[in-house]
Amino acid sequence: MQRATAKIEMDAYTPEVAARTAHLYERVKRVVPAIEWPVFAPDIDAILELKRRRNAVVLAHNYQTPEIFNTIADIVGDSLALAREAAKVEADVIVLCGVHFMAETAKLMNPGKVVLIPDPLAGCSLAESITAADVRALKARYPGVPVVTYVNTSAAVKAESDICCTSGNAVAVVESLGVDRVIFIPDEFLAKNVAAQTRVEIIPWQGRCEVHERFTPADIATLRAQHPGIQVLAHPECDRPVVEAADFAGSTAAMQKWVADRQPAQVALITECSMSDNVALANPAVEFVRPCNLCPHMKRITLPKIRRALETMSVEVHVAPDVAARARLAVERMVAVGAPR
Ligand code: 13P
Ligand code: SF4
């Protein structure tokens, strides 16, 4: 009897594919080994064609791997930029290469578009740390105190909130409300870092980013001992002592800008791993030391899954209309607050 064997189909890296993608390899060759390119190129080639056929744009977060971020993405950035840019998309389809809350936010900002996420299981430990019922309980406990909600939350949680923020604009958002105290959810470390920059009293929640909570001040001390003169930049989802030990703290976009503007000889980004690859490609004169942690959720997004999303037009992100209307208000209020700080 003949046994059926499972066969994993992989497209050939033909001379035609090699020729069509050669200019893209030039962009990433400093961080993608030549031996890996024949694995990536056929999917990249297919995705570029599918984007044309589906009239789709790819939005990619700064934590996406370099072969995604630098070859097939039309718009890249931090959470704030992706939310803003999603609202302006005119194409029919948005493929969100990032985690689920980012795809939901894109849908909220541009409800008429088809928003696809290549892997719907790409979650976030912060988004999972709080439910809409938790927010209602907080509001009952602190009546009249406005709720400022980090975008790393579900649409249902945003719908219970007065206004959203990202790490790029959290202080400006808190201060825009003109009140003495706010409920700030769900990241307790971001809450501490915001509290250190404002007189507004912050009532926090106990959520944490599973990637950034692992960094310690001792990591930074070791870096400085091993690399005298190194500049250390940390994401504000790190605990307060880590941020205090760093030379600069800011959103992924703020870190990127800091490096681009100052061109330090040597830098370490205390954040997710792909960020260093992407910022390094844009800043060839800067040496990156990489004490990073991987975000397992961001890493669920891969080229084969992006290709499948465009082939099958799934998985589409939907938000229930009543939730969407309220959540959209909170995101739009944030966007109206203005330039990131
Ligand atoms: P940014 O808004 O800084 O891009 O951060 C998003 C995020 O998930 C960080 O962990
Ligand atoms: Fe969420 Fe942290 Fe991953 Fe960002 S890095 S998506 S906050 S788990």
Side-chain angles (χ1 to χ4, degrees), residues 80 84 169 172 333-341:
L80 181 58
R84 284 195 171 126
N169 62 10
R333 283 193 193 118
M334 165 186 87
V335 171
V337 166
R341 292 171 41 146

Side-chain angles (χ1 to χ4, degrees), residues 124-330:
C124 169
S125 64
L126 282 169
E128 277 138 37
S129 73
I130 191 161
T131 64
D134 293 328
V135 189
R136 287 193 289 273
L138 275 171
K139 289 197 286 191
R141 189 164 161 206
Y142 299 101
V145 179
V147 179
V148 178
T149 295
Y150 194 33
V151 284
N152 296 40
T153 45
S154 66
V157 165
K158 290 184 176 79
E160 298 294 336
S161 312
D162 293 278
I163 188 166
C164 287
C165 73
T166 71
S167 57
N169 62 10
V171 177
V173 166
V174 164
E175 296 191 337
S176 75
L177 298 173
V179 294
D180 295 336
R181 63 178 184 161
V182 300
I183 298 167
F184 188 97
I185 56 175
D187 186 345
E188 65 169 301
F189 292 162
L190 180 63
K192 277 199 232 175
N193 288 316
V194 170
Q197 297 173 69
T198 179
R199 299 167 94 119
V200 178
E201 186 194 337
I202 304 284
I203 302 166
W205 183 252
Q206 277 77 43
R208 289 183 183 184
C209 162
E210 67 187 84
V211 176
H212 291 94
E213 72 172 345
R214 282 155 58 198
F215 293 109
T216 66
D219 294 335
I220 298 185
T222 306
L223 269 173
R224 293 200 194 280
Q226 289 173 348
H227 306 277
I230 192 168
Q231 297 295 299
V232 180
L233 279 53
H235 195 278
E237 288 170 9
C238 295
D239 199 1
R240 184 76 197 139
V242 175
V243 165
E244 281 172 337
D247 298 296
F248 174 77
S251 76
T252 55
M255 286 194 263
Q256 203 170 27
K257 183 172 178 342
W258 196 97
V259 174
D261 290 349
R262 303 197 185 205
Q263 295 291 303
Q266 208 177 34
V267 74
L269 305 181
I270 305 299
T271 189
E272 211 276 341
C273 303
S274 293
M275 175 79 186
S276 291
D277 286 338
N278 294 327
V279 182
L281 285 174
N283 296 279
V286 179
E287 186 194 338
F288 286 75
V289 179
R290 297 161 193 250
C292 61
N293 288 324
L294 277 171
C295 173
H297 310 289
M298 288 282 179
K299 264 50 219 182
R300 280 184 172 275
I301 308 299
T302 61
L303 289 169
K305 289 183 192 172
I306 298 166
R307 178 175 177 176
R308 203 175 322 129
L310 279 164
E311 280 168 352
T312 62
M313 292 296 282
S314 66
V315 173
E316 191 174 348
V317 175
H318 295 284
V319 184
D322 55 322
V323 171
R326 290 181 294 137
R328 185 176 308 121
L329 261 184

